[in-house]
Amino acid sequence: MPRNRRHGLSQTPEYRAWQQMVRRCTVSDHPAYPDYGGRGITVCDRWLNSVEAFVGDMGRRPSPKHELDRIDNDGPYSPDNCRWVTRKKNCRNRRSNRILTYRGESKTLAEWCELLDLPRDTVRKRLVAGWPIGRALETPVRAKAPNRARSPNPTETCVVCGGTAPVHRLTCSVSCESVRRSESARKREAAKRARDEAREEAVA
């Protein structure tokens, strides 16, 4: 990249956009080089060494939300192939986006879903499942059933402890468990006393 001249642009967002554009197309160790210069994307001669020419052709960035974008992702950075777009628009112009042609128009998956008010994830899954594009975009999405308030479980009286037990069960769980433990303890205590008494009688 040539040494900066006194152009008064070095602190502007347009200069940073121009600088990054040149670097990713010409500096082989730039992180983005494989996706730009590494695959043949170039900067036109008019812009390569002149940020003034770049700003003169592109104008000032319309807003902080705008980014430099190439209309043809396989074309160069040049006046007839570049524009300022929002990040949302820029993301939709990436090579990785899936383009769907429907009724003679080609748009990204995201654009079709936004236009037809369809969940993008639903349409993507339909296409992965092998649905034709027309069917994937024309089939309405099923409305989710409203959450029903859960009715309280009907209950009956526990036949063991008199507590509350769910229908189709004769005993409750907590109360009857306590009753069963108490009954079991009493039986063990009674059996122990009987054994002790038997041993005492045998000794006598």
Side-chain angles (χ1 to χ4, degrees), residues 13-14 47 51-62 68 84:
E14 294 78 23
W47 287 359
V51 64
E52 297 100 317
F54 170 77
V55 175
D57 292 334
M58 292 296 299
R60 296 289 183 171
R61 188 174 65 161
L68 183 63
W84 295 113

Side-chain angles (χ1 to χ4, degrees), residues 160 175-193 195:
V160 175
S175 298
C176 286
E177 185 63 30
S178 299
V179 171
R180 283 192 290 271
R181 285 198 296 267
S182 299
E183 289 292 335
S184 179
R186 282 195 291 271
K187 289 179 181 180
R188 289 195 299 272
E189 184 63 27
K192 183 177 182 298
R193 284 198 300 269
R195 289 194 299 272

Side-chain angles (χ1 to χ4, degrees), residues 50-128:
S50 175
V51 64
E52 297 100 317
F54 170 77
V55 175
D57 292 334
M58 292 296 299
R60 296 289 183 171
R61 188 174 65 161
S63 80
K65 296 182 179 180
H66 282 73
E67 301 176 344
L68 183 63
D69 174 61
R70 282 172 297 120
I71 300 170
D72 177 4
N73 269 311
D74 294 321
Y77 283 100
S78 61
D80 59 347
N81 194 43
C82 287
R83 58 187 175 179
W84 295 113
V85 297
T86 61
R87 177 175 290 271
K88 181 177 180 180
K89 180 73 174 179
N90 199 2
C91 288
R92 290 183 176 179
N93 195 34
R94 290 177 177 171
R95 290 183 301 138
S96 57
N97 284 335
R98 182 166 186 177
I99 305 298
L100 305 179
T101 301
Y102 172 64
R103 293 184 176 178
E105 289 188 69
S106 296
K107 300 180 184 293
T108 64
L109 172 62
E111 288 173 324
W112 280 121
C113 290
E114 185 176 294
L115 181 66
L116 300 174
D117 194 23
L118 293 170
R120 183 164 49 180
D121 191 54
T122 297
V123 176
R124 183 185 290 111
K125 288 178 179 178
R126 289 173 175 178
L127 295 171
V128 170

